[in-house]
Amino acid sequence: MKNRKKRILCLFVLILFAGVIWFGIGFFQRREAKSRMLSAIGIKDRPEIYGFYSGIWTDWLQYTDGYEIMHVYTKEQSGLEIKDIIPESWTWESPDIEITELSRQLHIHINIQAILNESVGGAQCNAWFFTDHRQEDIPFDEKEFYLGYYDESSDMIHIYRGHHFYGL
């Protein structure tokens, strides 16, 4: 009986330890994602800029391409407006463009529902930046694109990273 309790306790501790490691890896990946994603779209990371990491999807069954989404904003007290950090290299749209139309123009697939599930906006685009790393000579696990776009109605920059986890 004593041996059984020890085994159950040992198993519980191992499962708990594995959960802590799993959570820790995800925490540090999300923490470094802000700098990585801002850098990819040409924006320098600053303390006044906050990133809300809202989603990541990797399809292990290889049915769809993966994605990663971050929403970037500034606090009102910072004195910095999100519009002020947009580099000159971005393309401005007048009038604004629907993100679905922009994805058609750029020939990319964006999971719009994943963006809208967070209820932070992101359906309109006033300015955008696109970087494409999906060329033939790039290995499948490194094929990705970054779309950064500014939505004036939500006063946020949304960063969408599309990636191919496996080649088909």
Side-chain angles (χ1 to χ4, degrees):
M1 191 69 152
K2 227 176 186 185
N3 244 355
R4 185 174 178 200
K5 285 183 182 181
K6 279 185 180 180
R7 286 183 184 164
I8 291 173
L9 182 62
C10 225
L11 181 63
F12 177 74
V13 168
L14 284 173
I15 291 172
L16 184 63
F17 186 67
V20 167
I21 288 174
W22 183 265
F23 177 77
I25 289 170
F27 173 78
F28 287 112
Q29 282 179 335
R30 285 187 299 276
R31 201 170 106 194
E32 78 83 44
K34 179 184 156 211
S35 295
R36 174 178 49 83
M37 292 180 85
L38 284 173
S39 174
I41 63 168
I43 296 177
K44 186 176 184 255
D45 194 4
R46 301 157 72 166
E48 305 94 352
I49 300 172
Y50 297 91
F52 169 58
Y53 191 80
S54 73
I56 186 166
W57 170 253
T58 303
D59 185 7
W60 299 96
L61 298 175
Q62 306 175 27
Y63 289 118
T64 63
D65 295 335
Y67 62 84
E68 187 176 18
I69 304 168
M70 179 171 282
H71 310 281
V72 180
Y73 62 97
T74 58
K75 296 265 179 158
E76 289 180 23
Q77 303 88 341
S78 71
L80 178 70
E81 291 190 26
I82 202 73
K83 198 181 247 187
D84 298 335
I85 66 171
I86 297 175
E88 291 180 19
S89 60
W90 283 40
T91 303
W92 285 87
E93 295 287 339
S94 181
D96 58 352
I97 186 172
E98 289 278 332
I99 195 63
T100 53
E101 177 58 32
L102 182 61
S103 69
R104 274 193 287 274
Q105 288 179 14
L106 296 172
H107 305 289
I108 56 176
H109 172 72
I110 295 178
N111 189 330
I112 301 297
Q113 195 58 48
I115 293 170
L116 297 177
N117 280 347
E118 298 299 324
S119 300
V120 292
Q124 299 295 322
C125 175
N126 300 89
W128 57 273
F129 178 83
F130 179 67
T131 183
D132 193 0
H133 302 286
R134 297 177 297 166
Q135 296 83 4
E136 291 281 329
D137 57 338
I138 297 176
F140 278 115
D141 60 339
E142 296 175 23
K143 288 188 179 195
E144 63 186 11
F145 65 86
Y146 283 91
L147 174 65
Y149 63 98
Y150 172 65
D151 181 0
E152 193 171 36
S153 64
S154 63
D155 195 34
M156 291 180 127
I157 292 174
H158 306 278
I159 305 170
Y160 187 96
R161 174 183 163 247
H163 61 90
H164 299 280
F165 190 66
Y166 288 105
L168 298 175

